[in-house]
């Protein structure tokens, strides 16, 4: 009964005077006391006798109850319950005196919460009907409505309310004052400077170079918003934001801007050319335009070059910003937590300087909490937990996927005004696997686009050939297109550039001072006859003409990308005969590309020597590195090639899951060495798919390319591995590329997320489905193209399943598994389905089991069967062939009635003692038996006596005192006994 309905039965003219009697008369004055008067002082029935006693309160409650019973219409509850209702209402009204609050607080609570407080202090007696309980709750709330109305009419209430408001405002003002003290408002000079600085940052970083379109009639730089391509990031595990405590990124892919938005401390890893620096520019420009944070773009290679790392006051000067801020401005920005500090290129500084950089960063973090920090690095520059203690979450820029590559190609050709080459290049990227493998980041995509246009649609296929072509284009194209003559030939430029590159490779740096570069060039000049002028002039010409060397800041030179530095450094190492130097650095992952390109540049004898040095280390990673080098060794001693292939053949392909795990530890290098399914045994095919799955989080795109080759494989183990690794990839892409192509026979598809569930609508129907987590059955039905083809359904850890009637939509369901669905009820609704198999574990109610007469297999665990015998709970006339009674299920029934199902040939029992066999006759039809929980001779003997024809026994038990495992077979002389 709602309070409004009761209000129609009890008029305010009755309620008001009755409620007023519960309280003492209102006194004069405004109630200006130091402490509020509690309700216990206002009521008229506590302490010394005031106006009412308990007898009078009971009389008031009785009158209210009687008036409700006597009012026109249907009685609110049975007449014989009137004394109990009156008694309970009396105790609730008396409970007013025990509430620890004043009248203002009571009004703030509201009538519903006040009524709940009274209910908690005086719960109703057992045995009241539902109508009587509803009346009590409604009458209590209706009385509370009038009690609060009475309070608001007291002469002191308004004054007390004003006092409360004054106190609250005073506390609020004090807190605001404290906040203002801690976060001082920027003065006028700060605001004026930021009006200049933010537009400067937005303009300074709003342009990027797209490789290959700086041709005739094309600008050197392109607006960031036109050329920028949004990339994805991945996280191997949940990364937690320090400021909010919420997950920043769940396992999987997410747009980089979305993942980094608001993130307080992030270490962003990415391979060479993956777009880290461009993303830093985008974040800086976005922050500057939105004016929500003050961005500082700090290339670490520039900061290290100047000596000691700068204090915040020197941030702008360290990056050659021409603007001069007010004194202390950066300190005030960071103290207020308004900064976005973007530290770019941790991998581009020497390893020896990285610890110093971390110490510097730690001091800044401690001095200026609350700001946003982003640090970029190559994946292998520092270990995984390098900044974990400082609260940094780690993200990795993902390789470009095919849609992103296609978007890049379209934008490139639009910017280059070359639409006629766009379509043919996209076709080549779809059909030429080697070419597609190179197009994994913006750098290589830009080079491929430029080469394709430069060569009128022809592209080299190998990596070395592609780099050679790219270098030829970059070194000679500008002069040829502009009709000018370069003083340095292509060969001279290569000789000088490779010397500079090798010096950087050896030092572990990515930039050097101009003085050092000039010194290297000067030493080379005597050997290059066509070079004229002094070293400074030649270096200037390289910076102006080569397209590979640049000057990012005064007094500093570096290569436009680390990829070219490594390629040219390898070329120089081979030319100098430094094979031992290369081999000595093979353990350094940053030298992998240098060594592979060195094999490509070397002569056959040199290749053989280098590869044999790699094999001599006798480690899986270097053996696989040698194998990876073979693709660059067109001419090689057959014996060396055979030895590399033989040694690597032990590792690739892996023949077992354990071998696959060991192979995956060698890192992403393995992915390009994994073979396709042709010629592999089923075990090897499974090993390859396991290895690729384990590396999916590091290289999802390459791993997907490997797994895609196995989508037509017939082996069930391979197909199960492909299904089981779905969660490591983008749900929709993996579903369309792999899952939808699989043979569904005997496969069970698991959906753990909403994204995975939604993918079902875009795939061919699956017959066997497993949903884990909270999914509404209605949402599952809506996601399926049809429910009639679903024959197996498993719902696990699903608290949203309440009524099994919703499962009636699966008209062809023959196998149902419900586990950890504690609210599930209504099993009788399943009687309309052709169910033959049912598994129940930790469900809400199993009383409907008797209705399921078509079952041939049944398992019940972690739920107690009702009744005193199994025939009280289980379907008596079901043709059961397999029965499992698990933990806790037969605590009340025992095994009484088990003989009713004479067709059961496989029986599994979880028992506590031999007592469970009481009153159970022999069951000769049981041929296979699984027993858990019996650990004594008496129990085993009792079990053996009941199953004389059993032929297979599995014992999941611990040997009891005096019982040897060797003697288990003696209890079942005709059976094969296994101990688990």
């Amino acid at each position: 009964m709602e309070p409004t309905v009761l209000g129609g039965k009890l008029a305010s003219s009755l309620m008001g005077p009755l409620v007023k009697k519960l309280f003492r008369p209102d006194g004069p004055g405004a109630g200006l006391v130091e402490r509020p008067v509690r309700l216990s002082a206002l009521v008229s029935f506590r302490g010394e006798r005031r106006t009412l006693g308990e007898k009078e309160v009971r009389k008031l409650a009785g009158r209210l109850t009687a008036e409700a019973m006597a009012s026109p219409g249907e009685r609110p509850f049975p007449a014989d319950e009137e004394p109990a209702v009156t008694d309970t209402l009396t105790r609730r009204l008396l409970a007013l005196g025990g509430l620890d609050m004043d009248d203002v607080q009571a009004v703030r609570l509201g009538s519903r919460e006040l009524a709940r407080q009274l209910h908690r202090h005086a719960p109703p007696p057992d045995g009241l009907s539902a109508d009587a309980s509803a009346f009590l709750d409604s009458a209590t709330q209706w009385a509370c409505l009038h009690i609060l109305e009475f309070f608001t009419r007291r002469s002191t209430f308004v004054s007390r309310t004003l006092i409360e408001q004054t106190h609250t405002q005073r506390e609020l003002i004090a807190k605001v004052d404290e906040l203002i003290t801690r976060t001082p408002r920027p003065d006028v000079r700060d605001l004026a400077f930021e009006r200049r600085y933010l537009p400067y940052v937005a303009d300074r970083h709003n342009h990027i170079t797209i490789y290959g379109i700086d041709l005739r009639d094309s600008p050197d730089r392109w607006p960031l918003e036109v050329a920028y391509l949004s990339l994805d990031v991945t996280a191997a595990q949940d990364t937690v934001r320090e400021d909010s405590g919420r997950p920043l990124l769940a396992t999987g892919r997410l747009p980089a801007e979305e993942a980094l938005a608001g993130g307080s401390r992030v270490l962003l890893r990415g391979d060479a050319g993956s777009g880290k620096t461009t993303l830093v520019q985008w974040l800086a420009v976005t922050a500057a335009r939105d004016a929500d944070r003050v961005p500082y773009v700090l290339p670490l290679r520039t900061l290290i070059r100047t000596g000691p790392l700068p204090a915040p006051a020197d941030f702008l000067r360290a990056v050659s910003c021409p603007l001069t801020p007010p004194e202390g401005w950066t300190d005030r920005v960071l103290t207020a937590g308004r900064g976005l500090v973007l530290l770019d290129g941790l991998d581009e500084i020497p390893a020896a300087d990285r610890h110093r950089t971390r110490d510097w960063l730690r001091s800044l973090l401690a001095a200026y909490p609350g700001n946003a920090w982003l640090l970029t690095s190559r994946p292998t520059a520092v270990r995984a937990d390098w900044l974990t203690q400082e609260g940094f979450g780690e993200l990795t820029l993902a390789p470009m996927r095919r849609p992103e590559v296609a978007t890049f190609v379209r934008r490139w050709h639009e910017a280059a005004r070359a639409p006629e080459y766009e379509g043919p290049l996209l076709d080549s990227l779809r059909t030429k696997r080697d070419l597609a493998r190179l197009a994994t980041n913006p750098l290589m995509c830009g080079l491929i686009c430029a080469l394709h246009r430069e060569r009128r649609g022809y592209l080299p296929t190998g990596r070395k050939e592609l780099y050679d072509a790219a270098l030829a284009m970059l070194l000679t194209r500008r002069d040829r297109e502009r009709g000018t003559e370069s003083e340095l030939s292509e060969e001279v430029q290569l000789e000088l550039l490779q010397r500079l590159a090798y010096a950087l490779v050896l030092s572990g740096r990515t930039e050097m001072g101009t003085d050092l570069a000039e010194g290297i060039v000067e030493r080379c000049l005597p050997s290059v006859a066509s070079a004229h002028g002094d070293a400074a002039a030649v270096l200037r010409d390289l910076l102006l003409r080569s397209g590979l060397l640049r000057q990012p800041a005064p007094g500093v030179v570096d290569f436009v990308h680390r990829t070219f530095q490594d390629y040219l450094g390898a070329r120089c190492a081979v030319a100098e005969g430094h094979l031992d130097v290369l081999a000595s650095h093979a353990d350094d992952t940053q030298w992998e590309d240098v060594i592979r390109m060195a094999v490509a540049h070397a002569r056959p004898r040199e290749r053989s020597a280098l590869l044999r040095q790699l094999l001599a280390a006798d480690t899986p990673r270097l053996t696989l590195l040698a194998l990876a080098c073979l693709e660059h060794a067109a001419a090689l001693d057959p014996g060396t090639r055979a030895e590399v292939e033989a040694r690597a053949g032990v590792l690739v392909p892996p023949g077992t899951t354990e071998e696959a795990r060991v192979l995956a530890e060698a890192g992403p290098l393995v992915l390009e060495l994994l073979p396709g399914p042709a010629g592999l045994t089923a075990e090897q095919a499974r090993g390859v798919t396991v290895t690729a799955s384990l590396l999916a989080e590091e290289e999802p795109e390459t791993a997907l390319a490997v797994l895609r080759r196995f989508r037509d494989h017939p082996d069930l183990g391979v197909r199960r591995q492909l299904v089981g690794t779905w969660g490591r990839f983008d749900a929709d892409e993996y579903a369309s590329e792999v899952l939808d192509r699989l043979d569904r026979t005997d496969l069970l598809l698991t959906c753990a997320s909403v994204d995975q569930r939604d993918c079902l609508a875009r795939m061919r129907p699956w017959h066997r489905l497993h949903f884990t987590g909270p999914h509404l059955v209605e949402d599952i039905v809506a996601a399926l193209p049809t429910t009639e083809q679903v024959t197996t359904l498993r719902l696990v850890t699903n608290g949203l399943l309440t009524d099994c009637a919703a499962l009636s939509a699966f008209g062809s369901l023959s196998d149902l598994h419900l586990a950890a669905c504690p609210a599930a009820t209504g099993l009788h609704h399943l009687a309309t389905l052709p169910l033959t198999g049912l598994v129940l574990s930790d469900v809400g109610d199993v009383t409907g089991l008797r209705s399921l007469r078509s079952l041939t297999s049944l398992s019940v665990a972690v739920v107690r069967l009702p009744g005193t015998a199994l025939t009280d709970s289980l379907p008596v006339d079901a043709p059961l062939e397999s029965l499992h009674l698990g933990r806790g299920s037969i605590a009340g029934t025992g095994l009484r009635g088990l003989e009713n199902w004479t067709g059961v040939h496989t029986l599994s029992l979880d028992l506590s003692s031999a007592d469970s066999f009481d009153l159970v006759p022999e069951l000769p039809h049981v041929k296979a038996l699984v027993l858990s929980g019996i650990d004594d001779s008496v129990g085993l003997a009792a079990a053996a006596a009941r199953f004389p024809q059993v032929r297979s026994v599995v014992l999941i038990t611990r040997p009891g005192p005096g019982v040897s495992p060797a003697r288990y077979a003696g209890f079942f002389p005709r059976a094969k006994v296994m101990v688990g």
Side-chain angles (χ1 to χ4, degrees):
M1 180 179 294
E2 292 294 326
T4 54
V5 177
L6 182 66
K9 293 179 174 289
L10 298 176
S12 296
S13 58
L14 171 67
M15 287 290 294
L18 292 178
V19 166
K20 189 174 182 180
K21 289 183 179 182
L22 296 173
F23 298 93
R24 299 176 64 186
D26 193 9
L32 299 176
V33 292
E34 182 62 23
R35 294 183 178 180
V37 179
R38 316 306 290 179
L39 292 187
S40 59
L42 297 177
V43 297
S44 57
F45 46 78
R46 278 193 56 140
E48 62 182 74
R49 183 175 181 85
R50 296 170 180 174
T51 305
L52 302 179
E54 180 177 344
K55 179 179 178 181
E56 286 77 15
V57 175
R58 185 177 301 277
K59 185 177 180 180
L60 290 176
R63 186 176 174 187
L64 289 173
T65 305
E67 288 289 341
M69 292 290 286
S71 61
E74 182 183 358
R75 289 184 175 182
F77 53 85
D80 59 350
E81 294 188 288
E82 185 172 349
V85 170
T86 300
D87 181 68
T88 303
L89 184 57
T90 299
R91 286 187 282 114
R92 290 189 182 181
L93 294 176
L94 289 171
L96 277 168
L99 297 182
D100 187 19
M101 64 180 71
D102 57 38
D103 53 352
V104 175
Q105 292 171 329
V107 172
R108 189 181 300 147
L109 277 181
S111 62
R112 287 182 180 272
E113 182 57 34
L114 183 60
R116 280 194 285 269
Q117 295 270 5
L118 297 179
H119 189 178
R120 281 194 290 270
H121 281 75
D126 295 335
L128 281 183
S129 66
D131 289 340
S133 297
F135 171 81
L136 274 169
D137 293 342
S138 183
T140 304
Q141 187 176 341
W142 186 243
C144 288
L145 282 171
H146 284 268
I147 289 171
L148 298 184
E149 172 68 15
F150 170 78
F151 287 161
T152 60
R153 294 176 181 271
R154 297 181 68 244
S155 61
T156 60
F157 179 79
V158 173
S159 300
R160 284 288 306 120
T161 304
L162 293 175
I163 292 171
E164 285 286 328
Q165 291 178 349
T166 302
H167 289 168
T168 302
Q169 289 174 351
R170 185 169 58 198
E171 292 175 0
L172 180 61
I173 291 171
K175 291 179 180 179
V176 171
D177 289 343
E178 181 182 357
L179 180 62
I180 291 175
T181 302
R182 292 173 55 192
T183 312
R185 180 182 177 184
D187 60 26
V188 176
R189 292 189 306 144
D190 286 358
L191 294 175
F193 176 75
E194 288 178 21
R195 292 192 187 101
R196 298 176 59 210
Y197 175 72
L198 294 179
Y200 164 80
V201 171
D203 181 68
R204 169 71 177 80
H205 298 285
N206 190 36
H207 295 84
I208 61 174
T209 297
I210 303 181
Y211 295 101
I213 50 178
D214 51 341
L215 303 176
R216 182 189 302 159
D217 302 325
S218 296
D220 291 335
R221 299 190 303 164
W222 294 84
L224 188 62
E225 59 266 25
V226 173
Y228 179 70
L229 178 70
S230 178
L231 299 176
D232 288 350
V233 294
T234 62
Q237 57 187 1
D238 284 351
T239 303
V240 178
R241 259 185 219 156
E242 180 193 71
D243 56 348
S244 67
R246 297 188 301 271
L248 177 63
L249 181 66
T251 301
R253 297 172 71 110
L254 196 70
E257 303 83 359
E258 182 179 342
L260 295 169
S264 59
R265 297 178 184 181
V266 174
L267 172 59
L268 179 67
R269 298 179 187 262
D271 290 319
S274 60
K276 300 185 297 295
T277 299
T278 304
L279 178 59
V280 165
Q281 291 181 241
W282 180 262
L283 293 173
V285 170
T286 302
R289 289 178 175 173
D290 294 344
D292 55 348
R293 285 188 180 272
V294 179
Y296 300 90
V297 180
L298 305 175
L300 286 173
R301 63 177 180 270
T302 300
L303 302 186
I304 287 291
R305 173 178 49 84
T306 59
L309 289 161
D314 298 322
F315 277 0
L316 301 192
R317 183 178 56 81
V319 295
S320 302
C321 175
L323 303 179
T324 302
E327 184 176 355
W329 169 74
T330 304
D331 179 76
R332 289 190 291 274
V333 169
L334 297 180
T335 299
R338 296 193 300 124
L340 171 61
V341 186
L342 302 166
L343 302 166
D344 189 29
L346 178 64
D347 58 287
E348 297 181 1
I349 63 176
D353 290 325
R354 292 172 192 166
H355 293 291
R356 176 164 64 97
T357 301
R358 182 169 58 179
D359 292 339
W360 169 74
L361 180 56
R362 283 172 173 167
S363 65
L364 292 177
L365 294 170
Y368 302 105
N371 295 281
W373 304 79
L374 174 67
L375 176 65
T376 71
S377 172
R378 277 195 181 187
T380 56
V382 291
R383 66 177 188 271
D385 59 348
W386 198 68
L387 285 173
T388 300
Q389 292 184 352
E390 287 71 30
F392 275 74
E394 291 201 10
L395 301 174
T396 301
L397 271 174
M400 293 169 65
R401 295 178 291 186
R402 283 184 292 175
E404 294 162 346
V405 172
T407 299
F408 184 97
V409 170
R410 284 192 291 270
R411 290 186 181 179
W412 191 97
H413 286 86
E414 180 181 355
R417 303 182 185 93
E420 66 275 16
Y421 293 106
E422 176 185 322
L425 180 55
L426 288 173
D427 290 339
S428 296
L429 288 168
R430 295 188 191 101
T431 57
K432 296 181 179 180
R433 179 178 145 205
D434 289 340
L435 183 63
R437 287 174 58 189
L438 293 175
T440 58
N441 59 55
L443 168 69
M444 294 311 300
C445 284
L447 287 176
I448 290 170
C449 290
L451 284 171
H452 186 259
R453 177 191 176 185
E454 182 81 1
R455 298 190 168 202
R456 301 295 188 263
Y458 166 76
L459 279 173
T461 55
R463 183 180 299 186
K464 177 181 182 298
E465 291 78 9
L466 181 63
Y467 288 162
D468 285 341
L471 290 173
M473 178 185 66
L474 292 171
L475 293 176
T476 62
R477 183 189 57 219
R478 288 182 176 179
D479 291 338
R480 186 175 67 248
E481 292 290 337
R482 295 173 181 174
T484 60
E485 183 178 352
S486 173
E487 295 183 3
L488 301 175
S489 67
E490 178 181 342
E491 190 60 33
V492 169
Q493 291 184 70
L494 280 174
E495 178 65 24
L496 297 173
L497 289 169
Q498 71 182 29
R499 296 293 183 92
L500 294 170
Y502 190 41
L504 289 171
V505 168
L506 288 172
S507 67
R509 297 176 180 270
T510 58
E511 65 177 28
M512 65 175 64
T514 304
D515 293 343
L516 177 59
E518 289 177 356
I520 294 173
V521 170
E522 186 173 11
R523 289 192 294 273
C524 294
L525 287 180
S527 62
V528 287
S530 61
H532 303 289
D534 58 14
V538 172
L539 182 61
R540 283 196 302 271
D541 194 51
L542 284 175
L543 290 167
L544 178 65
R545 303 291 187 187
S546 72
L548 286 171
L549 207 63
R550 65 178 184 176
Q551 192 167 25
V556 181
V557 295
D558 69 354
F559 283 86
V560 294
H561 202 277
R562 177 72 174 267
T563 299
F564 295 117
Q565 175 184 307
D566 292 346
Y567 177 82
L568 290 169
R571 191 175 188 267
C572 184
V574 171
E576 295 293 326
H578 290 177
L579 301 184
D580 291 339
V581 175
L582 293 169
S584 67
H585 287 86
D587 282 327
D588 187 344
T589 57
Q590 294 197 47
W591 280 67
E592 280 183 2
D593 281 344
V594 178
I595 292 172
R596 294 171 72 174
M597 290 297 98
V599 171
H601 288 296
R603 293 180 290 271
R605 184 175 298 177
E606 294 169 330
R607 291 170 179 163
S608 180
L610 180 55
L611 292 175
R612 288 189 178 278
Q613 289 189 68
L614 296 179
L615 293 177
D618 197 24
T619 65
R621 197 186 73 82
L622 294 189
T623 299
L624 294 172
L625 177 58
L627 181 62
C629 290
L630 291 185
E631 69 169 301
H632 307 294
L636 181 65
D637 169 51
T640 302
R641 184 183 297 273
E643 184 177 355
V644 171
E645 291 175 343
R647 294 275 294 277
V650 178
L651 302 171
V652 181
T656 65
T657 299
E658 184 57 35
E659 290 177 3
R661 296 183 184 280
V662 172
L663 183 60
E665 292 176 358
L669 168 71
V670 170
L671 287 170
E672 61 186 86
L673 305 176
L674 294 175
L680 299 184
T681 65
E683 292 76 13
Q684 290 172 332
R686 285 196 293 272
V688 170
T689 56
V690 169
T691 302
S693 298
L694 292 173
L695 292 169
E697 292 177 351
E698 297 180 68
E699 294 283 350
E701 201 68 21
T702 310
L704 178 58
V706 173
L707 297 178
R708 191 185 295 121
R709 305 175 210 160
F710 292 83
R711 60 192 180 188
D712 297 320
H713 202 284
D715 180 70
L716 179 60
V718 172
R719 290 185 288 122
R720 283 178 174 169
Q721 177 63 33
L722 293 177
V723 166
T725 196
W726 190 10
R728 300 173 186 263
F729 296 89
D730 174 79
D732 194 61
E733 182 181 23
Y734 193 81
S736 62
E737 293 291 331
V738 178
L739 297 180
D740 203 27
R741 298 284 297 273
L742 293 177
D743 175 7
R744 268 79 161 142
T745 305
D746 296 326
L747 278 187
L748 180 71
L749 181 67
T750 298
C751 295
S753 68
V754 174
D755 288 342
Q756 290 179 337
R757 185 188 70 208
D758 292 344
C759 289
L760 296 174
R762 297 182 287 276
M763 288 192 282
R764 293 182 294 113
W766 284 83
H767 308 297
R768 307 178 71 229
L769 291 168
H770 177 180
F771 291 89
T772 179
H775 297 270
L776 288 171
V777 175
E778 293 78 6
D779 291 338
I780 294 174
V781 171
L784 296 174
T786 175
T787 58
E788 290 303 316
Q789 297 194 40
V790 178
T791 59
T792 297
L793 181 64
R794 297 185 180 181
L795 303 179
V796 178
T797 319
N798 192 338
L800 300 182
L801 177 63
T802 56
D803 191 347
C804 291
L807 298 174
S808 300
F810 298 90
S812 302
L813 195 63
S814 60
D815 183 51
L816 177 63
H817 184 133
L818 302 179
C821 300
T825 61
L827 291 178
H828 63 281
H829 293 295
L830 304 177
T832 59
L833 301 177
L835 280 182
T836 57
L838 179 63
V839 175
L840 300 173
S841 178
D842 188 16
V843 297
D845 183 18
V846 295
T847 54
L849 262 178
R850 285 177 57 86
S851 304
L852 308 183
R853 299 181 176 87
S854 59
L855 294 179
T856 60
S857 176
L858 175 62
S859 174
V860 182
V862 201
V863 57
R864 180 168 177 160
L865 292 172
T868 58
L870 295 176
T871 50
D872 296 335
S873 306
L874 306 187
V876 176
D877 48 356
L880 290 178
E881 300 173 359
S882 175
L883 178 61
H884 169 71
L885 299 174
R887 179 165 55 91
S889 62
I890 57 174
T893 65
L895 296 177
R896 291 179 289 277
L898 181 58
E899 68 276 7
N900 181 79
W901 292 276
T902 58
V904 172
H905 55 73
T906 300
L907 181 63
S908 176
L909 302 172
D910 189 341
L911 308 173
S912 58
S913 70
D915 296 340
S916 299
F917 292 107
D918 290 349
L919 306 179
V920 178
E922 287 188 0
L923 302 174
H925 49 277
V926 175
K927 306 301 181 185
L929 181 65
V930 178
L931 291 178
S932 301
I934 297 180
D935 54 7
D936 55 47
S937 303
V938 175
L940 293 173
R946 299 309 191 274
F947 306 105
Q949 300 299 322
V950 71
R951 294 293 179 265
S952 171
V953 178
V954 176
L955 298 175
I956 304 174
T957 181
R958 298 188 308 273
V963 179
S964 169
R967 295 179 54 194
Y968 284 135
F971 293 102
F972 303 94
R974 297 183 179 182
K976 178 182 179 180
V977 179
M978 293 177 288
V979 179

